[in-house]
């Protein structure tokens, strides 16, 4: 049964005895009780009664005074049920009952439950698009905890709310929450990181999405501050791909191969990619590390020994890609490597073609990922996606570990590559075979409800299993409807 509340009629009502405030007796009192709204005992009420009787309850609630436990539960529940803007002074007894029931579901599970409720409250507020100030989000609960006029200690709920804010809101060092200051930044948003580093928010946001620190669906989310600063530092060291050949002192195709083989890593990667120049840039530190490893594998000379040639000239002589020779140098497979002091970077490295030819035959079976990509007509990043899953890889590959350092060379066997090429096709391949355009092929694929065996979201492009194609799209078919 709900409590029956009577409004105060005059100033001294609060000092009157119950018999004066409720003069009904006998039949009148029974009628009053019969007309009162019926409701079940809430879990919070049952907990309070049991505690007064000496029965132990949920651990966190029992660690607080009874008043602290009830007050924290009811204010958390009021925030959940009625939102941050609702004034607690305006709540009716029915609404307080609802608040107690809602809050107990979380406070009975202690800090874990309370944090879950606070996360839910933040998510709900985020959808409004309003500025997420602490009081706007956590409403009267935060005001109660922050108030200097509150004579009674609110209990552990104050620490939990403060730590939750520190762990979920991007705050600068020195900012205070509920009586304590943050000593070291824990989180950043795109806006706060851009302001701190001087980078353009849009460019930075694209790269953070590509790196997986922020999702495209929620670009306003917060992320680990240290990880964000590492990404920002990489952006500040960015070298555009167009400039990489000059920095390395090599040709453009040689620089492209280094990127395709993942010896040089683009700053922004990922299935969705990132717009603009971030797709075409390399970290200067990555370039410096590559050149330092080349230098460490070579013997410095003032004159190039007889029979030694540059990497590109050696590739011509042994009829192998430059990238294979680079892999052999980085992996420590070649003994005869020199660095000519008269030149800088990649062009300074010289090798002995006879040794290169022998070591390639002995140590490098199959083809590199970039060569495999060229043979089946797909971008190199697609081949990497096909071979990256190790035991569950779509296309098998062989890792060859270097003799020195940690360099690993990935190779694809030709028989595996031929088997894959014979089993899967792109819509462009089908169009070329049938001498029609790709849009026509894709329209027929949709009409016959042919799904890609591997989708663009998985590997960067749609690949279809040849056995799934309707007969009208098979190579031996003569006519294709337009």
């Amino acid at each position: 049964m709900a409590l029956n509340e009577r409004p105060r009629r005059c100033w001294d009502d609060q000092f009157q005895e119950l018999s004066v405030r409720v003069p009904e007796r006998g039949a009148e009192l029974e009628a009053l009780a019969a007309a009162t709204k019926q409701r079940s005992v809430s879990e919070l009420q049952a907990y309070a009664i049991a505690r007064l009787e000496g029965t132990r309850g949920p651990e966190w609630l029992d660690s607080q005074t009874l008043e602290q436990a009830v007050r924290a539960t009811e204010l958390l529940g009021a925030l959940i049920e009625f939102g941050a803007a609702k004034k607690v002074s305006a709540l009716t007894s029915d609404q307080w009952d609802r608040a107690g029931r809602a809050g107990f579901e979380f406070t009975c599970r202690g800090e874990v439950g309370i944090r879950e409720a606070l996360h839910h409250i933040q998510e709900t507020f985020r959808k409004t698009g309003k500025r997420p100030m602490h009081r706007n989000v956590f409403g009267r609960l935060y005001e109660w905890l922050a108030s200097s006029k509150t004579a009674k200690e609110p209990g552990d709920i104050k620490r939990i709310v403060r730590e939750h804010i520190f762990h979920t809101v991007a705050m600068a060092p020195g900012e205070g929450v509920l009586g304590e200051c943050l000593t070291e930044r824990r989180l950043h948003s795109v806006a706060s990181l851009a302001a701190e580093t001087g980078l353009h928010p849009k460019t930075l946001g694209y790269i953070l999405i590509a790196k997986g620190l922020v999702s495209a669906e929620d670009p306003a989310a917060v992320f680990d501050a240290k990880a964000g600063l590492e990404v920002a530092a990489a952006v500040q060291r960015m070298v555009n791909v167009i400039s990489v050949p000059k920095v390395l002192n090599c040709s453009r195709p040689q620089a492209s191969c280094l990127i395709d083989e993942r010896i040089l890593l683009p700053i922004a990667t990922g299935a969705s990619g990132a717009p603009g120049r971030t797709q075409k840039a390399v970290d200067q530190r990555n370039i410096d590390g590559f050149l330092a490893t080349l230098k460490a594998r070579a013997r410095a000379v003032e004159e190039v020994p007889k029979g030694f040639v540059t990497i590109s000239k050696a590739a011509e002589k042994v009829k192998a890609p430059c990238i294979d020779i680079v892999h052999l140098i980085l992996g420590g497979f070649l003994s005869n490597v020199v660095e000519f002091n008269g030149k800088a970077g990649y062009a300074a490295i010289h090798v002995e073609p006879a040794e290169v030819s022998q070591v390639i035959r002995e140590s490098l079976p199959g083809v590199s990922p970039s060569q495999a990509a060229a043979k089946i007509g797909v971008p190199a990043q697609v081949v990497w996606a096909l071979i990256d899953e190790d035991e569950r890889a779509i296309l098998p590959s062989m890792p060859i570990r270097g003799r020195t350092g940690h360099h690993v060379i990935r190779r694809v066997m030709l028989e595996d590559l031929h088997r894959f090429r014979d089993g899967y096709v792109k819509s462009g391949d089908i169009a070329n075979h049938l001498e029609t355009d790709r849009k026509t092929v894709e329209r027929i694929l949709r009409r016959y409800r042919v799904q890609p065996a591997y989708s663009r979201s998985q590997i960067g492009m749609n690949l279809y299993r040849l056995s799934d194609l309707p007969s009208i799209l098979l190579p031996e078919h003569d006519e294709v409807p337009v």
Side-chain angles (χ1 to χ4, degrees):
M1 180 184 298
L3 290 175
N4 195 308
E5 295 184 79
R6 288 188 167 174
R8 190 166 61 186
R9 293 189 181 90
C10 57
W11 70 271
D12 63 346
D13 274 356
Q14 61 183 318
F15 302 114
Q16 299 291 347
E17 293 182 357
L18 183 62
S19 60
V20 176
R21 296 283 286 125
V22 185
E24 291 87 349
R25 295 292 182 274
E28 288 183 343
L29 190 58
E30 289 181 5
L32 181 64
T36 300
K37 181 179 179 180
Q38 301 292 309
R39 65 177 175 227
S40 62
V41 176
S42 73
E43 289 184 286
L44 177 61
Q45 291 167 335
Y47 165 75
I49 294 168
R51 181 165 171 176
L52 289 171
E53 292 174 347
T55 303
R56 296 195 63 78
E59 184 179 353
W60 185 82
L61 289 171
D62 280 352
S63 70
Q64 310 300 295
T65 67
L66 182 57
E67 185 176 3
Q68 288 171 343
V70 171
R71 188 65 171 165
T73 300
E74 288 183 332
L75 284 173
L76 181 64
L79 183 58
I80 294 167
E81 288 290 299
F82 309 112
K86 184 75 172 180
K87 291 184 178 179
V88 294
S89 59
L91 294 178
T92 65
S93 61
D94 280 347
Q95 289 174 324
W96 276 117
D97 182 70
R98 274 180 60 190
R101 293 172 191 268
F104 190 82
E105 178 185 339
F106 298 97
T107 57
C108 72
R109 292 187 283 124
E111 184 167 349
V112 172
I114 294 168
R115 288 282 191 101
E116 182 184 317
L118 296 175
H119 269 298
H120 170 72
I121 290 160
Q122 286 173 310
E123 288 301 314
T124 302
F125 185 88
R126 189 175 286 122
K127 293 173 184 176
T128 66
K130 297 177 183 176
R131 189 179 179 190
M133 304 292 287
H134 304 326
R135 292 176 189 272
N136 293 351
V137 178
F138 300 113
R140 302 302 178 253
L141 173 65
Y142 187 88
E143 287 185 357
W144 168 56
L145 297 174
S147 176
S148 58
K149 298 177 182 178
T150 303
K152 297 178 181 178
E153 172 60 40
D156 193 42
I157 186 71
K158 187 173 185 177
R159 177 194 64 81
I160 293 173
V161 172
R162 178 175 58 241
E163 281 302 308
H164 181 81
I165 291 173
F166 282 158
H167 278 87
T168 59
V169 179
M171 296 177 60
E175 286 191 55
V177 173
L178 299 178
E180 287 192 15
C181 290
L182 186 66
T183 56
E184 182 182 4
R185 182 184 279 280
R186 301 180 188 179
L187 299 169
H188 260 304
S189 64
V190 174
S192 67
L193 183 58
E196 183 174 319
T197 59
L199 295 169
H200 193 285
K202 189 170 285 188
T203 301
L204 184 58
Y206 288 144
I207 299 172
L208 290 167
I209 289 170
K211 288 295 184 184
L213 293 185
V214 177
S215 72
E217 293 73 30
D218 188 14
V222 295
F223 47 88
D224 181 75
K226 289 181 180 177
L229 285 170
E230 287 177 7
V231 172
V235 175
Q236 290 170 326
R237 296 190 300 266
M238 237 172 20
V239 176
N240 194 286
V241 164
I242 296 173
S243 303
V244 169
K246 184 177 180 181
V247 174
L248 289 176
N249 195 17
C250 69
S251 68
R252 185 169 295 179
Q254 288 167 341
S256 296
C257 272
L258 292 170
I259 293 171
D260 287 344
E261 284 291 304
R262 293 188 174 179
I263 292 173
L264 297 180
L265 298 173
I267 283 177
T269 58
S272 59
R277 62 196 179 96
T278 57
Q279 286 182 320
K280 303 174 182 178
V282 177
D283 189 336
Q284 178 67 56
R285 193 162 59 183
N286 190 190
I287 294 173
D288 293 342
F290 165 65
L291 291 175
T293 305
L294 277 184
K295 188 180 182 74
R297 300 284 184 268
R299 174 170 52 91
V301 295
E302 295 299 326
E303 286 188 21
V304 178
K306 186 177 179 180
F308 282 68
V309 296
T310 62
I311 293 173
S312 57
K313 181 59 71 175
E316 288 178 22
K317 285 180 174 290
V318 303
K319 295 181 172 54
C322 288
I323 199 66
D324 285 358
I325 301 175
V326 172
H327 275 305
L328 292 176
I329 296 171
L330 296 176
F333 288 94
L334 299 179
S335 303
N336 299 319
V337 183
V338 299
E339 180 195 20
F340 175 41
N341 289 338
K343 288 192 177 181
Y346 187 99
I349 304 299
H350 291 65
V351 293
E352 193 176 41
E355 183 192 24
V356 170
S357 178
Q358 181 181 346
V359 175
I360 284 179
R361 285 196 306 272
E362 294 173 353
S363 304
L364 290 186
V367 294
S368 68
S370 57
Q371 291 171 274
K375 286 181 180 296
I376 61 175
V378 299
Q381 60 264 32
V382 171
V383 170
W384 281 105
L386 293 170
I387 69 176
D388 261 350
E389 293 295 325
D390 297 325
E391 292 85 6
R392 296 181 298 157
I394 300 166
L395 177 62
S397 67
M398 174 190 294
I400 299 173
R401 301 199 174 275
R403 294 174 181 172
T404 57
H406 304 286
H407 189 69
V408 177
I409 307 169
R410 296 293 287 272
R411 306 295 286 184
V412 180
M413 300 301 102
L414 286 173
E415 55 269 27
D416 292 324
L417 189 62
H418 293 154
R419 192 179 303 114
F420 182 83
R421 186 177 58 187
D422 291 343
Y424 299 93
V425 291
K426 313 187 299 290
S427 58
D429 295 333
I430 304 169
N432 290 339
H433 279 303
L434 302 177
E435 297 183 352
T436 186
D437 61 278
R438 195 173 67 181
K439 288 185 177 179
T440 298
V441 170
E442 290 174 350
R443 187 167 60 248
I444 295 171
L445 288 169
R446 287 193 297 271
R447 184 192 307 166
Y448 283 87
R449 298 181 180 178
V450 178
Q451 297 297 318
Y454 302 106
S455 67
R456 187 181 303 277
S457 62
Q458 290 176 288
I459 63 170
M461 70 185 313
N462 291 332
L463 282 180
Y464 299 89
R465 194 175 280 107
L466 202 60
S467 58
D468 291 340
L469 298 182
S471 59
I472 199 170
L473 290 181
L474 294 177
E476 60 269 16
H477 204 278
D478 293 328
E479 294 183 8
V480 177
V482 179

